[in-house]
Amino acid sequence: MTQGIGKAPAMDGMNTPQPGGTPAERDPRWAALLARDPAADERFVYSVRTTGVYCRPSCAARRANPRNIRFHATPAEAEAAGFRPCLRCQPNQPPLRARQAALVADACRLIETAEETPPLAELAEKAALSPHHFHRLFRAVTGLTPKGYADAHRARRVREALGRQESVTEAIYGAGFNASSRFYEQADAMLGMTPSDYRAGGAHAEIRFAIGQCSLGAILVARSERGVCAILIGDDPAALLRDLQDRFPRARLIGGDAEFEALVAQVVGFVEAPGIGLDLPLDLRGTAFQQRVWQALREIPPGETVSYAEVARRIGAPGAVRAVGAACGANAIAVAIPCHRVVRSDGGLSGYRWGIERKRNLLAREQTGAA
């Protein structure tokens, strides 16, 4: 049936054009245009015959009559057909997300090369944004505030310098601290031990550990003076011990006594029934971003799962989904920091440090216990 000009095409319940629509509506790209999908911005552009303009799929301009719409693989193709770029969405420029990422990358390089952390106003001015807008954008892209990024960068430089056996004083000033007192105020949280101990590979740290068995296989539990610093699960007890030794190469590793065996039994009981909780202090050693991710994981109740994207949103960094996945992979305290409760957006199980089958097993027993 021929439709009158301006009359909307027949649609089904899923907002999909039924057979017989315009050529634009029959094109597979129409759905992305309807959704104003930003992910499609790098795949095609569309032009409007009546205005002579071409746009990105995500353009917020009022949608034109589908009879007047044509799709083009590239901006160059649209311009060759006689169309000019939309002034609103600027389809002949890099996508907005790419431009924003470039702005933040430039700010990161500025922070990393500056002797002292640049003020927020200076960073925002160089990005041609207001301080509030820049602060929000920086956190969305990196998962950290500009100050948090600067602190993390300095901490990394300190760890690298101490790892090269430089003196503590050289490491402090080389990392950009203009006063040793400021460094020592943060050293405990930054390194997990004193700078001299870190420089010595944890030589003065005492780590008590024991290896046992649970329904998931071999389990190693280690505790520092601060709290549980590792819960490792695997098939090979020797491999678990090597993992612990790699983490604390010069620490004094002490086999557990009867008192420590009781703690291991408590941890095993928690692994078997996570719903009972683990009332033990944890010694968490990671970057500021990892710490935020791990805290968000600990707030997921047993029996529930969330996506990596949801975790990123919960910590205020919706653009840092991959970094969330990396933080989950860096977690060395199994179950107590429940990275097994994080799944793909479609609900599927993705990589798990201790194996997909163990992840599936943990989720199944939690969901059964919560039912």
Side-chain angles (χ1 to χ4, degrees):
M1 179 178 68
T2 303
Q3 297 180 9
I5 296 176
K7 183 177 180 181
M11 308 289 280
D12 62 19
M14 297 296 291
N15 290 329
T16 302
Q18 295 182 359
T22 66
E25 293 170 299
R26 293 194 296 271
D27 191 293
R29 293 170 286 192
W30 176 251
L33 178 57
L34 279 179
R36 290 191 168 94
D37 183 5
D41 286 350
E42 298 180 35
R43 300 200 301 265
F44 68 89
V45 295
Y46 73 94
S47 62
V48 181
R49 177 175 56 83
T50 52
T51 64
V53 168
Y54 72 94
C55 299
R56 302 180 188 276
S58 65
C59 185
R62 181 178 178 182
R63 190 175 296 112
N65 188 312
R67 291 180 178 276
N68 298 321
I69 289 178
R70 288 176 56 189
F71 292 105
H72 308 272
T74 64
E77 181 181 298
E79 291 180 14
F83 295 94
R84 63 185 186 278
C86 170
L87 296 178
R88 184 170 189 171
C89 67
Q90 300 179 304
N92 57 336
Q93 299 297 319
L96 176 61
R97 288 190 298 180
R99 299 200 300 272
Q100 291 175 334
L103 285 176
V104 171
D106 288 344
C108 289
R109 300 295 83 78
L110 183 61
I111 291 172
E112 292 168 4
T113 57
E115 291 187 5
E116 294 188 17
T117 303
L120 175 62
E122 178 182 333
L123 294 170
E125 182 180 0
K126 289 185 179 296
L129 298 172
S130 70
H132 174 74
H133 187 188
F134 174 79
H135 189 277
R136 186 173 59 184
L137 174 63
F138 192 99
R139 182 167 181 172
V141 173
T142 67
L144 297 170
T145 65
K147 182 180 183 305
Y149 183 88
D151 290 344
H153 175 67
R154 289 196 300 181
R156 183 170 64 250
R157 289 177 62 183
V158 166
R159 289 193 294 267
E160 291 173 351
L162 292 175
R164 293 192 298 267
Q165 296 297 305
E166 294 182 13
S167 72
V168 174
T169 301
E170 290 174 335
I172 291 172
Y173 290 102
F177 288 92
N178 54 19
S180 60
S181 59
R182 292 183 58 194
F183 167 75
Y184 282 103
E185 288 172 0
Q186 305 174 34
D188 189 66
M190 186 185 300
L191 303 175
M193 59 188 72
T194 67
S196 57
D197 285 353
Y198 186 93
R199 179 170 174 265
H204 300 128
E206 287 190 355
I207 307 292
R208 296 185 178 275
F209 76 96
I211 300 175
Q213 288 289 321
C214 65
S215 61
L216 299 178
I219 181 170
L220 181 150
V221 180
R223 179 171 183 168
S224 70
E225 62 180 11
R226 301 165 182 268
V228 174
C229 58
I231 300 176
L232 310 177
I233 301 172
D235 298 318
D236 182 1
L240 300 183
L241 180 55
R242 287 195 298 273
D243 189 346
L244 182 67
Q245 290 171 330
D246 289 342
R247 291 179 174 280
F248 306 97
R250 297 183 62 188
R252 183 184 175 199
L253 302 182
I254 304 172
D257 52 19
E259 181 181 353
F260 193 82
E261 294 291 347
L263 180 144
V264 174
Q266 184 179 353
V267 173
V268 170
F270 169 67
V271 171
E272 303 297 343
I276 66 175
L278 184 65
D279 187 21
L280 291 173
L282 301 182
D283 181 1
L284 304 180
R285 304 187 184 198
T287 66
F289 181 82
Q290 289 171 337
Q291 298 268 6
R292 288 170 55 203
V293 172
W294 296 340
Q295 181 56 41
L297 301 186
R298 297 177 71 187
E299 294 170 1
I300 305 172
E304 297 184 12
T305 60
V306 300
S307 68
Y308 293 95
E310 174 59 25
V311 174
R313 284 192 291 270
R314 290 185 182 186
I315 65 172
V321 177
R322 290 186 179 182
V324 167
C328 290
N331 171 33
I333 305 182
V335 190
I337 300 177
C339 51
H340 62 278
R341 296 175 191 158
V342 188
V343 298
R344 296 198 306 252
S345 295
D346 62 3
L349 303 186
S350 55
Y352 183 53
R353 177 174 182 161
W354 293 283
I356 290 293
E357 285 306 314
R358 289 189 177 92
K359 183 170 187 173
R360 182 176 290 109
N361 188 315
L362 282 167
L363 291 175
R365 69 175 65 175
E366 287 186 2
Q367 289 163 359
T368 300

